């Protein structure tokens, strides 16, 4: 719930964004104050996620570690870097870059508990070999929101590291932050946090609500 370099729980939404990105990368993720559901093994069958900050002059650096129950690092991501002065924008950009290494693992759960044939590589300054790990992967159905309840049309206004999407009022409805892909943004709309992704000519805001993956069509002009 709280990373060591922050003063508050879920500061800058890094905790909820981390959980969302873990699920997006194929993991089943739980906060440390949650009770782990039945079927996910004992304490030492799990991986433990941490987000760490490196020192840097005029640049923010974050990287992800996955540890076993003894605190041994079994995976370390590439270091995300940002020159943004705004902390929320900088941390969001760094987190997105770091998660590219996690998504590149391409986990496919095969029912085994202790080992798999999926190799993992730790990427920081160079690639090193680490031991293999299995993570539970659960298929999540996508619930489409009726277009009648979706936002009709929004206009993108450039801000630091992304855009704010406004209606004709103009009222800020969403904030989106750039990732390495021009067709995918980290998105925040009210209390919901997820991604804004392009599917053909259309844009969809996808996020989790009550453990369901929601897909909401957004009409937006960049």
């Amino acid at each position: 719930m709280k990373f060591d370099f922050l003063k508050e729980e879920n500061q800058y939404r890094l905790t909820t964004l981390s959980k969302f990105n873990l699920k997006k990368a194929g993991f089943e993720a739980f906060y440390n104050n949650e009770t782990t559901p039945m079927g996910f093994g004992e304490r030492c069958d799990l991986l433990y996620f941490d987000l760490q900050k490196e020192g840097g002059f005029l640049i923010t650096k974050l990287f992800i570690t996955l540890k076993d129950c003894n605190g041994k690092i079994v995976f370390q991501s590439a270091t995300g870097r940002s020159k943004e002065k705004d902390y929320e924008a900088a941390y969001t950009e760094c987190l997105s870059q770091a998660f590219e290494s996690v998504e590149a693992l391409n986990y496919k759960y095969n029912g085994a508990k202790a080992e798999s044939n999926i190799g993992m590589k730790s990427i920081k300054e160079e690639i090193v070999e680490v031991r293999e790990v299995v993570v539970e992967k659960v298929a999540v159905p996508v619930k489409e929101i009726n277009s009648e309840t979706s936002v009709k049309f929004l206009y993108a206004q450039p801000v630091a590291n992304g855009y704010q999407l406004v209606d004709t009022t103009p009222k800020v409805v969403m904030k989106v932050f750039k990732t390495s892909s021009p067709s995918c943004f980290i998105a925040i709309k009210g209390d919901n946090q997820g991604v804004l992704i392009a599917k053909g000519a259309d844009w969809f805001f996808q996020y989790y609500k009550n453990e369901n993956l929601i897909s909401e069509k957004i009409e937006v002009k960049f």
Side-chain angles (χ1 to χ4, degrees):
M1 292 301 299
K2 176 181 173 295
F3 301 116
D4 287 344
F5 62 93
L6 298 177
K7 296 180 179 179
E8 302 173 6
E9 289 189 354
N10 199 26
Q11 194 170 6
Y12 306 113
R13 304 175 189 259
L14 287 182
T15 305
T16 49
L17 285 173
S18 294
K19 183 175 182 179
F20 174 83
N21 279 287
L22 282 167
K23 285 177 170 285
K24 182 171 175 282
F27 291 79
E28 189 65 22
F30 309 98
Y31 296 127
N32 60 2
N33 61 359
E34 286 184 277
T35 300
T36 307
M38 293 291 292
F40 286 94
E42 302 298 329
R43 177 176 176 272
C44 284
D45 290 326
L46 304 176
L47 290 173
Y48 296 84
F49 175 94
D50 195 15
L51 187 63
Q52 299 183 25
K53 184 177 182 180
E54 288 185 15
F57 182 65
L58 299 179
I59 188 169
T60 301
K61 300 179 183 180
L62 298 180
F63 63 91
I64 293 165
T65 60
L66 299 178
K67 300 179 182 179
D68 63 17
C69 61
N70 296 313
K72 179 181 177 181
I73 295 176
V74 296
F75 173 80
Q76 183 166 311
S77 75
T79 299
R81 295 173 168 83
S82 175
K83 294 182 179 180
E84 293 290 340
K85 294 181 180 179
D86 178 75
Y87 278 125
E88 182 169 3
Y91 287 148
T92 301
E93 181 179 16
C94 290
L95 185 69
S96 176
Q97 292 176 13
F99 259 104
E100 291 179 10
S101 300
V102 180
E103 293 174 356
L105 297 175
N106 294 318
Y107 279 112
K108 291 184 180 180
Y109 178 61
N110 62 5
K113 289 188 63 178
E115 61 183 14
S116 76
N117 294 323
I118 303 173
M120 295 204 319
K121 292 183 182 292
S122 171
I123 312 169
K124 190 181 178 185
E125 299 304 329
E126 59 184 4
I127 297 177
V128 295
E129 296 289 338
V130 296
R131 74 178 178 85
E132 297 173 347
V133 175
V134 168
V135 176
E136 291 274 1
K137 185 171 182 179
V138 180
V140 180
V142 177
K143 181 179 179 181
E144 298 285 349
I145 289 185
N146 190 302
S147 60
E148 293 297 320
T149 63
S150 300
V151 175
K152 292 300 182 183
F153 204 88
L154 298 177
Y155 298 87
Q157 297 178 342
V159 295
N161 202 38
Y163 300 89
Q164 61 182 17
L165 307 186
V166 301
D167 59 19
T168 54
T169 311
K171 173 187 174 184
V172 177
V173 177
M174 297 180 66
K175 289 185 178 180
V176 298
F177 300 95
K178 295 177 182 178
T179 69
S180 59
S181 171
S183 62
C184 180
F185 295 86
I186 295 172
I188 300 172
K189 180 185 176 188
D191 294 329
N192 297 317
Q193 301 158 17
V195 291
L196 183 69
I197 59 174
K199 295 183 178 180
D202 298 321
W203 289 90
F204 292 86
F205 176 43
Q206 295 190 342
Y207 58 95
Y208 279 91
K209 186 174 184 180
N210 298 325
E211 301 301 322
N212 293 314
L213 180 60
I214 308 297
S215 183
E216 177 181 349
K217 186 176 180 180
I218 302 292
E219 298 288 346
V220 57
K221 180 176 178 62
F222 285 99

